Amino acid sequence: MILPLAPLTFRLATPADFADVARITTDSYLAAGYFDSAEHPYLRLLADVAKRAEVAQIWVAEQVFEDSAAAEPARRIVGAVTLARAGDEYADIALPGELEMRVLVVDPALQRGGIGKAMVRAIIEHARTLGGVTAVSLTTGDHWVSAHALYRSMGFERAPQRDWTVPNTDPGVEIWLRVYRLEL
């Protein structure tokens, strides 16, 4: 049996974390039904964590677990998020003064346990330490209802005037993205 021992640690990802971040990202998007295959071009792009880390900050949520089969507790990456500021190559919607969070994912085996909410809290606290940052913004898919509920429960407000669409790999299909914002 594996049990969490301690609260989450939220820290910058290191190259040693990239494989876990790629796995959790792919597994999360597939488990949620957002894509049918790990070979989807967008998922392949997200799975290239090293490339993403070249142009944005990737943070991980790490937890210490006790495994009755192991001699010592183990650390495990349980979630990840990409952070960018206005003007960064990986920023889609950040305006000056905003920290944009993208690709917030939690290991599907541990979802619905408060990890995502704890990560968003940590992001908000981190944003408050950054000079010139007065808000946190994010984009989420139109049909990602559980994500909408999480962000609303934490005080994020819709910014519908900033919603946007991106083309899908299917001809003629666009994905509508909702923008949420939290004033700090």
Side-chain angles (χ1 to χ4, degrees):
M1 175 177 264
I2 299 175
L3 299 169
L5 286 179
L8 295 173
T9 300
F10 190 61
R11 61 172 176 79
L12 275 171
T14 66
D17 302 321
F18 291 174
D20 286 331
V21 172
R23 177 189 54 78
I24 291 169
T25 302
T26 300
D27 290 353
S28 293
Y29 277 77
L30 291 174
Y34 301 148
F35 299 101
D36 295 330
S37 164
E39 295 306 310
H40 188 281
Y42 186 67
L43 274 182
R44 289 190 6 228
L45 175 74
L46 294 180
D48 189 349
V49 179
K51 185 168 180 137
R52 201 177 350 150
E54 289 175 5
V55 296
Q57 288 188 347
I58 299 174
W59 289 73
V60 293
E62 182 179 63
Q63 197 161 38
V64 177
F65 286 84
E66 180 180 289
D67 185 344
S68 59
E72 294 191 25
R75 293 186 173 279
R76 189 163 91 187
I77 303 301
V78 297
V81 65
T82 302
L83 301 178
R85 291 175 85 161
D88 289 351
E89 184 177 329
Y90 215 76
D92 278 334
I93 53 109
L95 298 175
E98 291 181 344
L99 179 67
E100 180 179 346
M101 62 180 195
R102 297 192 55 197
V103 196
L104 176 79
V105 293
V106 174
D107 186 326
L110 301 170
Q111 288 177 358
R112 308 275 185 268
I115 292 171
K117 192 170 205 168
M119 289 175 63
V120 174
R121 277 192 200 112
I123 293 162
I124 293 167
E125 290 310 310
H126 172 67
R128 288 186 170 126
T129 70
L130 300 174
V133 172
T134 59
V136 176
S137 62
L138 64 97
T139 301
T140 185
D142 183 45
H143 300 293
W144 302 1
V145 177
S146 61
H148 303 168
L150 169 67
Y151 300 131
R152 282 192 314 268
S153 77
M154 299 192 73
F156 283 82
E157 295 181 359
R158 288 275 292 116
Q161 71 281 9
R162 293 171 61 187
D163 290 352
W164 58 296
T165 59
V166 293
N168 194 343
T169 54
D170 300 323
V173 176
E174 290 185 327
I175 299 171
W176 182 41
L177 299 171
R178 293 178 178 213
V179 175
Y180 285 82
R181 184 175 191 275
L182 175 71
E183 190 76 30
L184 298 178

